[in-house]
């Protein structure tokens, strides 16, 4: 099954409860929460307090995409606040294996995100320790950027490696996902789609955006 995960980065931050309820009602599979610290990426969003406040507005799993330096120092706070999965960036973790164990010991599912310039070999040795591998198809920091097509071979290689090793991790794609690119990434082997601006700034509305992706998913 292909999972659809709206990214709150493009939601209306003054109406987060409304937007969380809308994507839940529209049939999203989980909610992707983009956490930025102004250092690992040039933008700043929110921390565990916001996660805590949206936790009881939806039954969907909350995925914390931590685009922050030293995620090991604060990831437990995000789990306590209600994140079901924590994604750390490979580029931000010197001891990635240790950080993945730390996430699991704190009671959450663990995943790793890789920037467009980061090769798959940076995370190959810990693929068996993760529940999700997130392949960035834009440089993290902002919503609404163009999909980087040259990432498709990386998605294919990740899927081939997972199949070869018999791993059941999710292979997710984040950045520039829309009705056209979702077909390409699913064909390349992704099974989880993160979409921010396509969902929240879609002229046809949130319901139509999610049902569009869902219908597209059904045909793939
Ligand atoms: C980018 C974030 C994404 C972002 C994607 O740094 O990690 O989750 O919201 O936005 P779109 O779907 O607009 O490219
Ligand atoms: Zn993200």
């Amino acid at each position: 099954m292909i999972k659809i995960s709206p990214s709150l980065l493009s939601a209306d931050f003054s109406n987060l409860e409304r937007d969380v309820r809308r994507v839940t009602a529209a049939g999203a599979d989980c909610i992707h929460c983009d956490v930025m610290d102004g250092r690992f990426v040039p933008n700043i969003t929110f921390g565990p307090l916001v996660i805590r406040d949206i936790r009881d507005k939806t039954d969907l799993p909350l995925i914390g995409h931590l685009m922050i330096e030293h995620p090991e120092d604060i990831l437990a706070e995000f789990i306590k606040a209600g994140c079901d999965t924590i994604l750390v960036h490979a580029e931000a973790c010197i001891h990635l294996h240790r950080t993945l164990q730390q996430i699991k010991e704190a009671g959450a599912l663990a995943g790793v995100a890789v920037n467009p310039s980061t090769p798959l070999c940076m995370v190959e040795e810990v693929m068996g320790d993760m529940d999700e591998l997130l392949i960035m198809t834009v440089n993290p920091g902002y919503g609404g950027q163009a999909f980087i097509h040259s990432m498709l071979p990386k998605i294919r290689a990740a899927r081939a490696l997972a199949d070869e090793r018999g791993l059941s991790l999710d292979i997710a794609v984040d950045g520039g996902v829309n009705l056209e690119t979702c077909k390409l990434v699913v064909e390349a082997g992704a099974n989880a789609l993160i979409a921010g601006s396509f969902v929240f700034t879609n002229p046809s509305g949130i319901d139509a955006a999610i049902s569009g992706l869902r219908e597209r998913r059904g045909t793939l």
Side-chain angles (χ1 to χ4, degrees):
M1 178 186 113
I2 309 294
K3 297 176 189 170
I4 296 171
S5 186
S7 157
L8 287 187
L9 186 61
S10 292
D12 178 347
F13 281 20
S14 67
N15 280 297
L16 267 187
E17 174 174 359
R18 180 200 66 188
D19 283 356
V20 164
R21 290 192 191 282
R22 277 188 182 166
V23 293
T24 304
D29 296 296
C30 41
I31 297 182
H32 183 90
C33 306
D34 283 304
V35 176
M36 303 184 180
D37 65 353
R39 295 184 69 88
F40 182 75
V41 288
N43 205 353
I44 298 178
T45 55
F46 51 77
L49 298 181
V50 169
I51 300 290
R52 181 197 68 190
D53 286 354
I54 61 173
R55 178 58 286 179
D56 65 349
K57 310 299 187 290
T58 180
D59 290 330
L60 294 179
L62 298 179
I63 318 284
H65 177 191
L66 305 190
M67 286 162 276
I68 62 175
E69 291 184 351
H70 299 293
E72 65 280 1
D73 292 346
I74 193 167
L75 63 87
E77 295 302 316
F78 282 94
I79 296 168
K80 266 189 235 155
C83 279
D84 299 279
T85 300
I86 295 289
L87 304 174
V88 293
H89 265 265
E91 305 83 6
C93 298
I94 296 174
H95 303 291
L96 184 56
H97 179 269
R98 177 184 289 154
T99 305
L100 289 170
Q101 308 313 317
Q102 190 190 345
I103 296 168
K104 290 190 239 182
E105 279 161 20
L109 297 175
V112 178
V114 285
N115 284 337
S117 62
T118 301
L120 205 53
C121 63
M122 287 291 287
V123 297
E124 274 184 25
E125 307 306 330
V126 288
M127 261 177 89
D129 296 284
M130 39 174 129
D131 301 291
E132 178 169 340
L133 172 63
L134 179 69
I135 297 179
M136 294 300 305
T137 42
V138 295
N139 288 290
Y142 301 99
Q145 303 180 82
F147 180 85
I148 302 173
H149 282 76
S150 56
M151 294 300 112
L152 289 169
K154 198 198 281 191
I155 301 168
R156 271 186 222 110
R159 173 55 65 197
L161 207 54
D163 288 350
E164 189 185 302
R165 296 186 187 173
L167 302 174
S168 61
L169 79 170
D170 284 333
I171 296 182
V173 169
D174 188 5
V177 170
N178 55 35
L179 288 183
E180 286 73 46
T181 56
C182 84
K183 183 175 186 312
L184 302 175
V185 302
V186 170
E187 280 169 357
N191 71 306
L193 306 172
I194 290 99
S197 53
F198 178 75
V199 168
F200 287 103
T201 64
N202 196 302
S204 309
I206 289 174
D207 278 346
I210 293 186
S211 56
L213 284 175
R214 201 185 305 118
E215 278 161 26
R216 197 76 161 131
R217 170 180 78 179
T219 64
L220 293 166

